[in-house]
Amino acid sequence: MADNQINYSVRTDLAVEAKDMYVEKEQEKKPNIKGVEIQNHEEKGIRVSYVKIDEEGAERLGKKAGNYITIYADGVKNQDTKSQENAAGVLASELEKLLELNHVPENGRGLIVGLGNWNVTPDALGPMTTEKILVTSHLFQLEYEMVSVGYRSVGAVTPGVMGVTGIETSEIIVGVIEQFKPDFVIAIDALASRSIERINETIQLSDSGIHPGSGVGNKRKELSKETLGVPVIAIGVPTVVDAVTITNDTIDFLLKHLGNEWNNKDRPFQALVPGGFSFGKKKLEEKDMPSLEQRKTFLGMVGTLSEEEKRALIKEVLTPMGHNMIVTPKEVDGFMKDMAHLLASGINAALHEKVDIDNFSSYTR
Amino acid sequence: MADNQINYSVRTDLAVEAKDMYVEKEQEKKPNIKGVEIQNHEEKGIRVSYVKIDEEGAERLGKKAGNYITIYADGVKNQDTKSQENAAGVLASELEKLLELNHVPENGRGLIVGLGNWNVTPDALGPMTTEKILVTSHLFQLEYEMVSVGYRSVGAVTPGVMGVTGIETSEIIVGVIEQFKPDFVIAIDALASRSIERINETIQLSDSGIHPGSGVGNKRKELSKETLGVPVIAIGVPTVVDAVTITNDTIDFLLKHLGNEWNNKDRPFQALVPGGFSFGKKKLEEKDMPSLEQRKTFLGMVGTLSEEEKRALIKEVLTPMGHNMIVTPKEVDGFMKDMAHLLASGINAALHEKVDIDNFSSYTR
Amino acid sequence: MADNQINYSVRTDLAVEAKDMYVEKEQEKKPNIKGVEIQNHEEKGIRVSYVKIDEEGAERLGKKAGNYITIYADGVKNQDTKSQENAAGVLASELEKLLELNHVPENGRGLIVGLGNWNVTPDALGPMTTEKILVTSHLFQLEYEMVSVGYRSVGAVTPGVMGVTGIETSEIIVGVIEQFKPDFVIAIDALASRSIERINETIQLSDSGIHPGSGVGNKRKELSKETLGVPVIAIGVPTVVDAVTITNDTIDFLLKHLGNEWNNKDRPFQALVPGGFSFGKKKLEEKDMPSLEQRKTFLGMVGTLSEEEKRALIKEVLTPMGHNMIVTPKEVDGFMKDMAHLLASGINAALHEKVDIDNFSSYTR
Amino acid sequence: MADNQINYSVRTDLAVEAKDMYVEKEQEKKPNIKGVEIQNHEEKGIRVSYVKIDEEGAERLGKKAGNYITIYADGVKNQDTKSQENAAGVLASELEKLLELNHVPENGRGLIVGLGNWNVTPDALGPMTTEKILVTSHLFQLEYEMVSVGYRSVGAVTPGVMGVTGIETSEIIVGVIEQFKPDFVIAIDALASRSIERINETIQLSDSGIHPGSGVGNKRKELSKETLGVPVIAIGVPTVVDAVTITNDTIDFLLKHLGNEWNNKDRPFQALVPGGFSFGKKKLEEKDMPSLEQRKTFLGMVGTLSEEEKRALIKEVLTPMGHNMIVTPKEVDGFMKDMAHLLASGINAALHEKVDIDNFSSYTR
């Protein structure tokens, strides 16, 4: 998350997620872009989407080539232990595939980097996950003959954020990498979400590198295979959202809802409010969005704005008053604990042949 | 905050705040209600509002008689240490006055009750504050001749919430009161806010009693002078807000903003969005709210809804999808620490003649 | 543990343990005391000792009648997860038997009391265990038809210590009991150990009541079946030891060791030190203690002192200089977490038919 | 503290302290060693001792040349806030002098390194102190014109321990130093004590370098001016002690005590125990140690052993049984908090001209 406590900005987080969002939209709307391969998949009730962008697609989309994988894991939100275990299993197998795609050798040495600020609970996902990582590289060094088959060498660091260390986070990571010389890097971070639905729900993997911290000026350093020479896998989970997004999403839900009522019930809008709504549990689809004419009726000029314009307007209203708060669900403490456990379970199982999700608890206190 | 983790509901918190909000509106709009006295006051840059409701006013307003005091303390939000100290000083003097109003004798024994769930950071304000209370009653009992003049007997408990203890919080408090026999009770709690501006900003005092926890059925027990025989002072701070409120407030800001632009700039709304807004830092006042006609133009049918109807509509849209999240600012950990320190400073200084805000740090680790 | 931070004293803790120690000695030395029944037992590698004292034995021994059970569980010390699970299983079955012995009905409502100071890690065993207790009583009240068969009604409180609350801990407990009206009480506490071997190792159960806190003067209130009308089960684990005990134990080990060397090796003591000792891993037995003559040779006048005299002398030396520290193993954080998990697993499995040690993890975050 | 959780050994910590102890003994016994300068000093009730070893003295003593400063600060132990502040002031001025002695320029950039394991309270002094360090280097980089005069550039890291990261701690530090390029390094660590009196009391400074972690084989890397090119200041506080030391110290106290009684009271030892001792508060001096003959009478053969032999014997007895526990005072949580605050106050005041002990609280939450 944003590395700079002084000039706090949500931009940095969005850098990662925006990419992903963009890809997701592509996935839904233009399934046949050249240079972009899209697949979907479901396993044990966990939905997974894959987007592969090659160099041609990268230029076309204006974003980095690489593999982008999104796991939809609502087990944490719903406090469903079984579903959390399933998601950890899916994460493990997706991570294994991604390491293979990046030609990481089976015994390759890994460095786990827990990004974020351990003093700020919704930003502590990286450090909290790292705390539960099964660390082994010192054993390989100290008494290599004792380390049993089925484990690989893994180290883990939590570099902190610039507001706490005073040091560019990327500099700390580069310093450690130069000494530790890993064969691959996995970086875990909490993200800012662009949608209220995704908070504490989606787990996003990619191999296109990370940009930790806010950086000085525009010199934000990319850490990626290009700059470090070894694959860099990013694992991100949205844990916060801003008031602009909440309002924007709600206005969209409102429009869809009103459109739905209008069409299905054939009764004038004015009748709706006093009598209450019989609106059910089902999620509103894109197709529910009412026509421009209806939108104008429902929401006036605001209803006619494009997505971009609407966001810009809300931001313009909230920001000067200091009301564009970045918020996190009230239950943040429990969510972070469960999500950190889920991520660590998945990573440990992916990295060590001898570890699987079931026996994981014996590896953590 | 809501005592029941299973049937989580924001209603209970609102019970307290709604009262206060209502009073606040009264204060702004109808300054001459019979049975209701309103005063405002500013000290060291801290604004304080007083509302006193007598039995006549209580009936008229449909709410309990008592004194309601709101302290506007934005020092925590702004991380301004000096302003936090000033607010603690104001809290101390307001609390002293309220104790006097309730005829608490100078050496009366006090019981501080830290309500809320210590495992949920935004709900932990009560326990966190209690942790910093200067506790003395055991010293009076053990070695009364050694306790110097200038201190009174104070005990403190954190009863937990029903989801954690399995027991009605009011039962635990009543059980302790029957044993400890205090002359007055001060209960500290985190509240749900009805406005995004008030989060971690207002400190609300009242002597009209508390209703801890959600209760079984409708049997929520009131703890007040009437039921306990001793004055019960409630100190509350809003620390969470729901998505309905965020959206509702934002739509209001939007309307005011658009009205403002419309009136002041004399240029059509359509011109505004592409060019961006030159909207400054000043807070929008009630009077900025545009006319009904303008509101319809800006926001269509939604613009014509009353406050109640708008909230009801947004709630109807968000609730069935599980999107009416209760959220807290990302910086919750730091805010809670600072606010707990502020409250404890104020309470300690109010209760012990020998303690003031400046020397407080020597009383806490 | 000691409830009073001001006049800190280890006496109170020892009150509980001394009893137990005494009984243990009885058990080893005088197996045929009238009114005292002693049994030993081993299960899954976990040793258990039972001492039952009836009224006659109570008078003879000068201690309360009741059942005293000690479980020797070194799995926490040795970080052996499997052995911890076994110990939790043994605790569950011993606790079940003890409840039955005390005629607790199968659906009797239980109150778990986590004694101790949550701010002092080695004293936080009670609160840490309580945090993991499966609490159900509010569910029985709220929606009794929904609670499935196989669960009983359980509530849990952490009353704190007098230095933190200013209130006699027994008063808080009595207050809660009067409101909650449980059929039985289980109180968990950290103890001071009288032997370095027992720290974080023995789990002591008894049904003879508790004396929480230090009390004012001699008026320490007993909470027991006699005073409360319902059975009170105490579960205690020694987590701290004082320097007197460490030194006293070490001098005993030293004497046994020297006696051993003397007897077995037939070489003069003087020869031992420069050449080092070949002393093996086996524990020294009581019978290894050398003769008085040998002890005088090895340790001079100190060697001739009785157990009581030796302790008194060491205490006299350390206390005035403030060197009789109460200490805890460096790894206290991890030990407390594991022991709290073990205790909560055992208690949950004992209280709810549907819960066993294996499925416990699904009940705790 | 020991960096290796697997082969836990107290040796590494002692490496640092032994040096210091040795020097201290020198100081008391041989005040006129060539190449060794010794001074003592007292300020605001805080005793400070200086030992300066030059190359000649280094060879003579078999230890590294450098400045060794010990501050005797019992304010933490005694929970005396005023005395803690005084000690922080003394630390600040000693640290300033040491930086000057090492030719650190007034605006030199500093790196603070908090050594130790944040999961093990008595080993968390480094991380806990670092958390309170006033970090500024990012401000100098980001907006250098805004940083007011009176501050210097300071960064801070907590590299963890090898059992947690899997990586040699010295490698992490070297990696960060190569990127951050500080002008000097200050490393804070918890130490193992060789005396029960020194726990949480002495603050030890030196400029002779550090050896973080346990290292692989004998390759423990020294981090010092020689290896890094910039001065490395170590700040250490003993926070744990082993059972051997406790017993050894107690036996010494016992001997001195018995000698004292023997000489002063002229009554036979046997008479002492039953009647109790009238031993006062004053500390026993070296000169109180009884003659060899008396020691033999009191403690037999053990009384005749040399210091080294006695320690070796006790260790031989305790180690095979696993009873040579490393322990920390029960009040470890509070002690660590206060000591971390004291250290951070002193360091912040030493590094920034604008910060002094009094205004420190405004710089920390």
Side-chain angles (χ1 to χ4, degrees):
Chain A
M1 212 172 277
D3 198 326
N4 179 354
Q5 298 193 318
I6 294 100
N7 281 323
Y8 186 87
S9 152
V10 79
R11 261 173 317 128
T12 39
D13 307 309
L14 291 177
V16 174
E17 199 186 23
K19 249 184 308 178
D20 181 76
M21 294 290 295
Y22 191 73
V23 167
E24 222 165 65
K25 273 190 192 165
E26 296 315 316
Q27 165 184 3
E28 282 159 19
K29 289 181 189 161
K30 318 169 201 164
N32 288 317
I33 273 196
K34 225 182 150 200
V36 180
E37 249 179 76
I38 292 164
Q39 279 175 29
N40 286 302
H41 176 77
E42 190 165 328
E43 194 187 328
K44 294 184 190 172
I46 310 291
R47 201 153 51 87
V48 185
S49 84
Y50 307 83
V51 181
K52 184 180 178 162
I53 303 180
D54 67 14
E55 290 306 329
E56 191 179 347
E59 205 165 324
R60 213 173 287 249
L61 291 178
K63 61 190 312 299
K64 275 205 77 178
N67 295 284
Y68 297 83
I69 300 158
T70 306
I71 300 170
Y72 296 87
D74 57 5
V76 167
K77 241 182 202 166
N78 304 333
Q79 298 191 31
D80 175 345
T81 313
K82 191 65 207 157
S83 165
Q84 289 173 28
E85 269 173 37
N86 288 345
V90 170
L91 170 59
S93 70
E94 294 305 331
L95 184 53
E96 273 181 64
K97 280 188 251 168
L98 201 52
L99 289 171
E100 252 181 83
L101 273 175
N102 282 275
H103 312 295
V104 169
E106 224 170 274
N107 292 320
R109 167 194 278 206
L111 178 67
I112 314 300
V113 179
L115 296 168
N117 187 345
W118 46 76
N119 293 323
V120 174
T121 307
D123 194 17
L125 186 63
M128 286 172 79
T129 303
T130 304
E131 205 66 44
K132 291 167 177 281
I133 289 297
L134 181 58
V135 157
T136 54
S137 60
H138 56 315
L139 303 177
F140 278 81
Q141 271 189 284
L142 286 170
E143 21 186 352
Y144 56 91
E145 75 281 8
M146 287 179 61
V147 184
S148 22
V149 179
Y151 294 92
R152 75 162 84 209
S153 174
V154 172
V157 287
T158 50
V161 295
M162 198 161 74
V164 162
T165 63
I167 307 173
E168 281 277 4
T169 303
S170 60
E171 286 185 7
I172 296 180
I173 299 170
V174 166
V176 172
I177 286 174
E178 279 175 5
Q179 298 285 322
F180 186 62
K181 298 188 177 50
D183 295 314
F184 65 98
V185 173
I186 295 176
I188 303 138
D189 202 1
L191 307 175
S193 184
R194 290 266 292 201
S195 120
I196 54 179
E197 287 178 285
R198 296 162 63 101
I199 290 229
N200 296 317
E201 181 168 326
T202 62
I203 302 167
Q204 306 173 193
L205 282 77
S206 96
D207 55 6
S208 65
I210 58 168
H211 299 78
S214 63
V216 180
N218 290 321
K219 292 176 298 176
R220 287 204 303 127
K221 274 181 204 137
E222 183 183 273
L223 301 184
S224 67
K225 190 162 191 176
E226 285 74 38
T227 64
L228 294 175
V230 297
V232 176
I233 311 290
I235 301 182
V237 176
T239 63
V240 296
V241 70
D242 64 359
V244 169
T245 300
I246 291 176
T247 308
N248 188 59
D249 282 12
T250 306
I251 288 176
D252 279 1
F253 292 135
L254 198 64
L255 284 172
K256 288 174 193 169
H257 175 62
L258 295 176
N260 224 28
E261 291 287 321
W262 184 285
N263 294 328
N264 298 352
K265 311 280 162 152
D266 201 24
R267 48 180 176 147
F269 167 68
Q270 284 86 343
L272 296 180
V273 180
F277 301 92
S278 55
F279 183 57
K281 258 261 170 191
K282 75 175 165 67
K283 286 204 178 180
L284 287 159
E285 303 292 317
E286 194 62 29
K287 63 173 177 48
D288 298 322
M289 192 56 94
S291 69
L292 186 66
E293 194 49 40
Q294 286 175 328
R295 286 159 65 178
K296 191 166 178 183
T297 311
F298 300 150
L299 264 191
M301 286 159 174
V302 170
T304 68
L305 298 177
S306 77
E307 179 75 14
E308 310 284 270
E309 289 167 337
K310 190 152 43 60
R311 280 193 86 89
L313 174 62
I314 299 170
K315 199 170 177 178
E316 285 285 337
V317 169
L318 289 178
T319 307
M321 284 185 290
H323 290 342
N324 189 16
M325 298 188 296
I326 315 286
V327 298
T328 190
K330 181 195 168 194
E331 303 86 349
V332 59
D333 306 89
F335 284 169
M336 301 300 286
K337 252 186 236 173
D338 283 355
M339 188 57 87
H341 187 82
L342 190 166
L343 295 185
S345 303
I347 295 170
N348 287 337
L351 297 189
H352 305 287
E353 210 188 308
K354 276 258 179 94
V355 181
D356 55 39
I357 301 301
D358 290 335
N359 69 8
F360 170 62
S361 64
S362 9
Y363 293 91
T364 182
R365 177 165 257 153
Chain B
M1 212 172 279
D3 200 324
N4 179 353
Q5 297 193 318
I6 293 100
N7 281 323
Y8 186 88
S9 153
V10 80
R11 263 173 316 129
T12 39
D13 306 308
L14 291 178
V16 174
E17 200 184 22
K19 249 184 308 178
D20 180 77
M21 294 289 296
Y22 190 71
V23 168
E24 221 165 65
K25 272 190 194 165
E26 296 315 316
Q27 165 184 3
E28 281 157 20
K29 291 182 188 160
K30 320 170 201 163
N32 289 316
I33 273 195
K34 229 185 148 197
V36 180
E37 250 177 75
I38 292 164
Q39 277 176 28
N40 285 304
H41 175 77
E42 190 164 328
E43 193 186 329
K44 295 186 190 171
I46 309 291
R47 201 154 51 87
V48 185
S49 83
Y50 307 84
V51 180
K52 184 181 178 160
I53 303 180
D54 66 14
E55 291 306 331
E56 191 179 346
E59 205 165 323
R60 213 173 287 251
L61 291 178
K63 61 191 310 299
K64 275 205 77 177
N67 295 284
Y68 298 83
I69 300 159
T70 306
I71 300 171
Y72 297 86
D74 58 4
V76 167
K77 241 182 201 167
N78 304 333
Q79 300 192 30
D80 176 344
T81 314
K82 191 64 208 158
S83 165
Q84 289 172 29
E85 270 174 35
N86 289 344
V90 170
L91 170 59
S93 70
E94 295 305 331
L95 184 53
E96 274 181 64
K97 281 188 252 168
L98 201 52
L99 290 172
E100 254 181 82
L101 272 175
N102 282 275
H103 311 295
V104 169
E106 224 170 273
N107 292 320
R109 168 193 277 205
L111 177 67
I112 314 300
V113 179
L115 297 168
N117 188 343
W118 47 75
N119 292 324
V120 173
T121 307
D123 194 17
L125 186 63
M128 286 172 78
T129 303
T130 303
E131 204 66 44
K132 290 166 178 284
I133 289 296
L134 180 57
V135 157
T136 54
S137 60
H138 55 315
L139 302 177
F140 278 81
Q141 270 190 284
L142 287 170
E143 20 185 354
Y144 55 92
E145 76 281 8
M146 287 179 61
V147 183
S148 21
V149 178
Y151 294 92
R152 76 161 84 210
S153 174
V154 172
V157 288
T158 50
V161 295
M162 198 161 75
V164 162
T165 62
I167 307 174
E168 281 277 5
T169 303
S170 60
E171 286 185 7
I172 296 180
I173 298 171
V174 166
V176 172
I177 286 174
E178 279 176 5
Q179 298 286 322
F180 186 61
K181 299 188 177 49
D183 296 313
F184 66 97
V185 172
I186 296 176
I188 302 138
D189 202 1
L191 307 174
S193 184
R194 289 266 292 200
S195 119
I196 54 179
E197 287 178 285
R198 295 162 63 101
I199 288 229
N200 296 317
E201 182 169 323
T202 62
I203 301 167
Q204 306 173 193
L205 282 78
S206 95
D207 55 5
S208 64
I210 57 169
H211 300 78
S214 62
V216 179
N218 289 322
K219 292 176 296 177
R220 287 204 303 128
K221 274 179 203 138
E222 183 184 272
L223 301 184
S224 67
K225 191 164 190 173
E226 286 74 40
T227 63
L228 294 174
V230 297
V232 176
I233 311 289
I235 301 181
V237 176
T239 63
V240 297
V241 69
D242 65 359
V244 169
T245 300
I246 291 176
T247 307
N248 188 58
D249 282 10
T250 305
I251 287 176
D252 279 1
F253 291 135
L254 198 65
L255 283 172
K256 289 173 191 168
H257 175 62
L258 295 176
N260 225 27
E261 291 285 321
W262 183 285
N263 294 329
N264 297 352
K265 311 282 163 152
D266 202 25
R267 49 178 175 147
F269 167 67
Q270 286 86 344
L272 297 179
V273 181
F277 302 93
S278 54
F279 183 57
K281 259 258 169 192
K282 75 176 166 65
K283 285 204 177 179
L284 288 160
E285 304 292 317
E286 193 62 28
K287 63 173 176 48
D288 298 322
M289 191 57 93
S291 68
L292 187 66
E293 193 50 41
Q294 286 175 330
R295 288 158 65 178
K296 189 164 181 185
T297 310
F298 300 149
L299 265 191
M301 286 159 173
V302 169
T304 66
L305 298 177
S306 76
E307 180 74 15
E308 309 286 270
E309 290 167 337
K310 191 153 44 59
R311 279 193 87 90
L313 174 61
I314 299 170
K315 200 169 177 180
E316 285 285 338
V317 170
L318 289 179
T319 307
M321 283 185 291
H323 288 342
N324 188 18
M325 297 189 296
I326 315 284
V327 297
T328 190
K330 182 195 168 195
E331 304 84 351
V332 59
D333 306 88
F335 284 169
M336 301 301 285
K337 253 186 235 173
D338 283 355
M339 188 56 88
H341 186 82
L342 191 167
L343 296 185
S345 303
I347 295 170
N348 286 337
L351 297 189
H352 305 287
E353 211 189 306
K354 277 257 179 95
V355 181
D356 56 39
I357 302 300
D358 291 335
N359 70 8
F360 169 63
S361 64
S362 9
Y363 294 92
T364 182
R365 177 165 258 152
Chain C
M1 213 173 279
D3 199 326
N4 180 355
Q5 296 194 318
I6 294 100
N7 280 324
Y8 186 87
S9 152
V10 80
R11 263 173 317 127
T12 40
D13 306 309
L14 291 178
V16 174
E17 201 185 22
K19 250 184 306 176
D20 180 75
M21 294 289 296
Y22 190 71
V23 167
E24 221 165 66
K25 273 190 194 166
E26 296 315 318
Q27 165 182 2
E28 282 158 19
K29 290 182 190 160
K30 321 170 200 162
N32 288 317
I33 274 196
K34 229 185 147 197
V36 180
E37 251 178 74
I38 292 164
Q39 278 176 30
N40 286 302
H41 175 76
E42 190 165 329
E43 193 186 329
K44 293 186 191 173
I46 310 291
R47 200 154 51 88
V48 185
S49 83
Y50 306 83
V51 180
K52 184 179 178 161
I53 303 179
D54 66 14
E55 291 306 331
E56 190 180 347
E59 205 167 323
R60 213 173 287 251
L61 290 178
K63 62 191 310 299
K64 275 205 77 177
N67 295 284
Y68 298 83
I69 301 158
T70 305
I71 300 170
Y72 297 87
D74 57 5
V76 167
K77 241 181 203 169
N78 303 333
Q79 299 192 29
D80 175 345
T81 313
K82 192 63 208 162
S83 165
Q84 289 172 30
E85 269 174 36
N86 289 344
V90 169
L91 169 60
S93 70
E94 294 305 330
L95 184 53
E96 272 182 64
K97 279 187 253 169
L98 201 53
L99 290 171
E100 251 181 85
L101 273 176
N102 282 275
H103 311 294
V104 170
E106 224 170 273
N107 292 319
R109 168 193 277 205
L111 177 67
I112 314 300
V113 180
L115 296 168
N117 187 344
W118 46 75
N119 292 323
V120 173
T121 308
D123 194 19
L125 185 64
M128 287 172 77
T129 303
T130 304
E131 205 66 44
K132 290 166 177 283
I133 289 296
L134 181 58
V135 157
T136 54
S137 61
H138 56 314
L139 303 176
F140 277 82
Q141 270 190 284
L142 287 170
E143 22 185 351
Y144 55 91
E145 74 282 6
M146 288 179 60
V147 184
S148 21
V149 178
Y151 294 92
R152 74 162 86 209
S153 174
V154 172
V157 287
T158 51
V161 295
M162 198 161 74
V164 163
T165 62
I167 307 173
E168 281 276 5
T169 303
S170 60
E171 286 185 6
I172 297 180
I173 299 171
V174 167
V176 171
I177 286 174
E178 279 175 6
Q179 298 286 321
F180 186 61
K181 298 187 178 51
D183 296 312
F184 65 98
V185 173
I186 296 177
I188 302 137
D189 201 2
L191 308 175
S193 184
R194 291 265 292 199
S195 118
I196 53 180
E197 288 178 283
R198 295 162 66 103
I199 289 227
N200 295 317
E201 182 168 324
T202 62
I203 302 167
Q204 306 172 193
L205 282 78
S206 95
D207 55 5
S208 63
I210 58 169
H211 301 78
S214 61
V216 179
N218 290 321
K219 293 177 296 177
R220 288 205 302 128
K221 272 179 205 141
E222 183 183 272
L223 301 184
S224 66
K225 190 162 190 174
E226 284 75 38
T227 64
L228 295 174
V230 296
V232 176
I233 310 289
I235 301 182
V237 176
T239 64
V240 295
V241 70
D242 64 359
V244 169
T245 301
I246 291 177
T247 307
N248 189 57
D249 282 11
T250 306
I251 287 176
D252 280 1
F253 292 135
L254 197 65
L255 283 172
K256 289 174 191 167
H257 174 60
L258 294 176
N260 225 28
E261 290 286 320
W262 183 285
N263 294 329
N264 297 351
K265 310 281 163 153
D266 201 24
R267 46 177 178 150
F269 166 69
Q270 284 86 345
L272 297 178
V273 180
F277 301 92
S278 55
F279 183 57
K281 259 259 171 191
K282 74 177 167 64
K283 285 204 178 180
L284 288 159
E285 304 293 316
E286 193 63 28
K287 64 173 176 49
D288 297 322
M289 191 57 93
S291 68
L292 186 68
E293 193 49 40
Q294 286 175 329
R295 287 159 66 179
K296 190 166 180 184
T297 309
F298 300 150
L299 264 192
M301 286 161 173
V302 169
T304 66
L305 298 177
S306 77
E307 179 74 15
E308 308 285 270
E309 288 167 337
K310 190 151 44 62
R311 279 193 88 90
L313 174 63
I314 300 170
K315 201 170 178 181
E316 285 284 337
V317 169
L318 289 178
T319 308
M321 284 185 290
H323 289 342
N324 189 17
M325 298 188 297
I326 315 287
V327 297
T328 190
K330 183 194 167 194
E331 303 85 350
V332 59
D333 306 270
F335 284 169
M336 301 301 286
K337 252 185 235 173
D338 284 354
M339 188 58 87
H341 186 82
L342 190 168
L343 295 185
S345 304
I347 295 170
N348 286 337
L351 297 189
H352 305 287
E353 210 188 308
K354 276 258 180 96
V355 180
D356 55 39
I357 301 300
D358 290 336
N359 70 8
F360 169 63
S361 64
S362 10
Y363 292 92
T364 181
R365 178 164 257 150
Chain D
M1 213 172 280
D3 199 327
N4 180 355
Q5 299 194 316
I6 294 99
N7 281 323
Y8 186 87
S9 153
V10 79
R11 263 172 316 126
T12 39
D13 307 308
L14 292 178
V16 174
E17 201 187 22
K19 248 184 309 179
D20 181 76
M21 293 289 295
Y22 190 73
V23 167
E24 221 166 66
K25 273 191 193 165
E26 295 315 316
Q27 166 183 3
E28 282 158 18
K29 290 183 190 161
K30 319 169 202 164
N32 288 316
I33 273 195
K34 228 183 147 196
V36 180
E37 252 178 73
I38 292 165
Q39 279 176 29
N40 286 303
H41 176 76
E42 190 164 329
E43 195 187 326
K44 295 185 189 172
I46 309 291
R47 201 153 51 87
V48 185
S49 83
Y50 306 84
V51 181
K52 184 180 177 161
I53 304 181
D54 66 14
E55 290 306 330
E56 192 180 344
E59 205 165 322
R60 215 173 285 251
L61 291 177
K63 61 191 311 299
K64 275 205 79 179
N67 295 283
Y68 298 82
I69 300 158
T70 305
I71 300 170
Y72 296 87
D74 57 5
V76 167
K77 241 182 203 169
N78 304 333
Q79 299 193 31
D80 176 345
T81 313
K82 191 64 206 160
S83 165
Q84 289 173 29
E85 271 175 34
N86 289 345
V90 170
L91 170 60
S93 70
E94 295 305 330
L95 184 53
E96 273 182 64
K97 280 188 252 169
L98 201 53
L99 290 172
E100 252 181 83
L101 272 176
N102 283 274
H103 312 294
V104 170
E106 224 170 89
N107 292 319
R109 168 192 278 203
L111 177 66
I112 314 300
V113 179
L115 297 168
N117 188 345
W118 48 74
N119 292 324
V120 173
T121 307
D123 195 18
L125 185 64
M128 287 172 77
T129 302
T130 304
E131 205 66 43
K132 290 166 178 283
I133 289 296
L134 181 58
V135 158
T136 54
S137 60
H138 55 313
L139 303 176
F140 278 81
Q141 271 189 284
L142 287 170
E143 22 186 352
Y144 56 93
E145 74 282 5
M146 288 180 60
V147 183
S148 21
V149 178
Y151 295 92
R152 75 162 84 210
S153 173
V154 172
V157 288
T158 49
V161 294
M162 199 162 73
V164 162
T165 62
I167 306 173
E168 282 276 5
T169 303
S170 60
E171 285 185 7
I172 296 180
I173 298 171
V174 166
V176 172
I177 286 174
E178 278 175 6
Q179 298 285 322
F180 186 61
K181 298 188 179 49
D183 296 313
F184 65 98
V185 173
I186 296 176
I188 301 137
D189 202 1
L191 307 175
S193 184
R194 288 267 290 200
S195 118
I196 54 181
E197 288 178 284
R198 295 162 65 102
I199 288 228
N200 295 316
E201 181 168 325
T202 63
I203 301 168
Q204 307 174 191
L205 283 76
S206 95
D207 55 6
S208 64
I210 56 169
H211 299 78
S214 62
V216 179
N218 290 320
K219 292 177 296 175
R220 288 204 303 128
K221 273 180 204 139
E222 183 183 273
L223 301 184
S224 66
K225 191 164 192 175
E226 285 75 40
T227 63
L228 295 174
V230 297
V232 176
I233 311 289
I235 301 181
V237 175
T239 64
V240 296
V241 69
D242 63 0
V244 168
T245 300
I246 291 176
T247 307
N248 188 58
D249 282 11
T250 306
I251 288 177
D252 278 1
F253 291 135
L254 199 65
L255 284 172
K256 288 174 190 168
H257 175 61
L258 294 177
N260 225 27
E261 291 286 320
W262 182 284
N263 293 328
N264 297 351
K265 311 280 162 155
D266 200 27
R267 47 179 176 147
F269 165 67
Q270 285 86 344
L272 296 179
V273 180
F277 301 92
S278 54
F279 183 57
K281 257 262 169 190
K282 75 174 164 67
K283 285 204 178 179
L284 287 160
E285 303 293 316
E286 192 63 29
K287 63 173 174 50
D288 298 322
M289 190 57 92
S291 67
L292 186 68
E293 193 51 40
Q294 286 175 329
R295 287 158 67 178
K296 191 165 179 183
T297 309
F298 300 150
L299 264 191
M301 285 159 173
V302 169
T304 67
L305 297 177
S306 77
E307 180 74 15
E308 311 284 90
E309 289 167 336
K310 189 150 47 57
R311 279 193 88 89
L313 174 62
I314 300 170
K315 201 170 176 179
E316 285 285 337
V317 169
L318 289 178
T319 308
M321 283 185 290
H323 288 342
N324 189 17
M325 297 188 297
I326 316 287
V327 297
T328 190
K330 182 195 168 193
E331 303 85 350
V332 58
D333 306 271
F335 284 168
M336 301 300 286
K337 254 186 231 171
D338 284 354
M339 187 57 87
H341 187 81
L342 190 167
L343 295 185
S345 303
I347 295 170
N348 286 337
L351 297 189
H352 305 287
E353 211 189 306
K354 276 259 180 95
V355 181
D356 55 39
I357 302 300
D358 291 335
N359 70 7
F360 169 62
S361 65
S362 10
Y363 292 92
T364 181
R365 177 163 258 152

